[in-house]
Amino acid sequence: MARPRAFDERQVLERAREQFWATGYAGTRMDDIATATGLGKGSLYGAFGDKGKLFHRVFGDWCTAVVEVAEERLTGGPDAEALARLSAYVHLMAENTAADTERRGCLMAKGVAELAQHDPAVAGRSAETMTALLALLRTEISAAQRHGDIDSAADPERLAALLLAVVRGIEAVGKAGLAPETLRNVADTALAALPRPRGKEGA
């Protein structure tokens, strides 16, 4: 019979995530993970595999959480509230970035920048995440179009891609040092640029 693990797996993964987030993949050694988690390297290898497998686990969990945050705010509800849901989500992303005073940014963005060119698993998982976010935004835009809050002649796929680029771009420029008020203004401007039906411009 296998011995039960004498540690909290979720807590270990959270501490490993914090280490990768702080020092990046290349800058993190398994010795660093061992120190951060309080586990010996043998236990880490036995439970999670090598550094690459551990990072993939942490990275995948992060990507799942990114989509879950969007789903909580963009899934369901009446069409009449779709534009409000879109606005709330875009503003939430701006506020989260503004609150990141340490400029750590998004672990997904950091992992992609460092590894996607050479790591198919990271590239594939990030692409899946972006596709899921795009679908959620497109669904809400279509709902807002049905209710008459966004011009029905506009292409919901293109508008969703625009908002996704804005949301991810806010994180990038926020990490680079743009002021919180500027980030909020970017969110406001992007939402105001959504095409409105005749008679609702500026509403």
Side-chain angles (χ1 to χ4, degrees):
M1 179 182 295
R3 295 176 58 189
R5 292 178 180 174
F7 59 85
D8 184 328
E9 181 178 281
R10 178 52 49 190
Q11 184 179 73
V12 169
L13 289 170
E14 288 176 355
R15 291 178 180 176
R17 179 197 66 202
E18 292 296 314
Q19 187 65 51
F20 282 124
W21 202 1
T23 55
Y25 180 78
T28 299
R29 302 171 304 157
M30 285 301 278
D31 286 332
D32 301 322
I33 300 293
T35 298
T37 61
L39 294 179
K41 288 194 293 184
S43 295
L44 288 169
Y45 283 119
F48 304 105
D50 60 18
K51 186 177 82 165
K53 290 179 180 178
L54 177 57
F55 180 80
H56 289 158
R57 173 73 180 275
V58 168
F59 185 81
D61 287 350
W62 181 278
C63 289
T64 296
V66 167
V67 175
E68 287 177 347
V69 167
E71 286 175 339
E72 289 173 0
R73 289 156 178 81
L74 298 176
T75 301
D79 289 357
E81 298 173 3
L83 185 59
R85 291 192 295 271
L86 281 167
S87 178
Y89 175 68
V90 173
H91 282 117
L92 173 67
M93 296 299 100
E95 290 302 326
N96 285 350
T97 301
D100 182 18
T101 57
E102 296 180 8
R103 296 186 189 175
R104 292 199 299 175
C106 173
L107 180 64
M108 180 175 64
K110 294 179 77 169
V112 167
E114 185 177 3
L115 297 172
Q117 183 178 1
H118 308 291
D119 189 327
V122 168
R125 190 68 178 83
S126 62
E128 289 174 6
T129 303
M130 292 298 105
T131 299
L133 294 176
L134 186 65
L136 289 167
L137 290 165
R138 183 177 61 243
T139 296
E140 292 294 358
I141 288 168
S142 295
Q145 289 177 305
R146 288 193 299 270
H147 188 256
D149 289 325
I150 294 177
D151 187 354
S152 61
D155 185 339
E157 184 78 21
R158 291 188 177 188
L159 294 181
L162 173 63
L163 287 185
L164 180 59
V166 168
V167 167
R168 303 311 301 179
I170 285 174
E171 186 275 331
V173 297
K175 184 181 178 184
L178 282 190
E181 190 58 32
T182 301
L183 304 180
R184 298 182 183 106
N185 289 340
V186 170
D188 288 339
T189 301
L191 290 163
L194 292 173
R196 309 300 295 276
R198 188 180 300 277
K200 284 196 173 184
E201 295 90 344

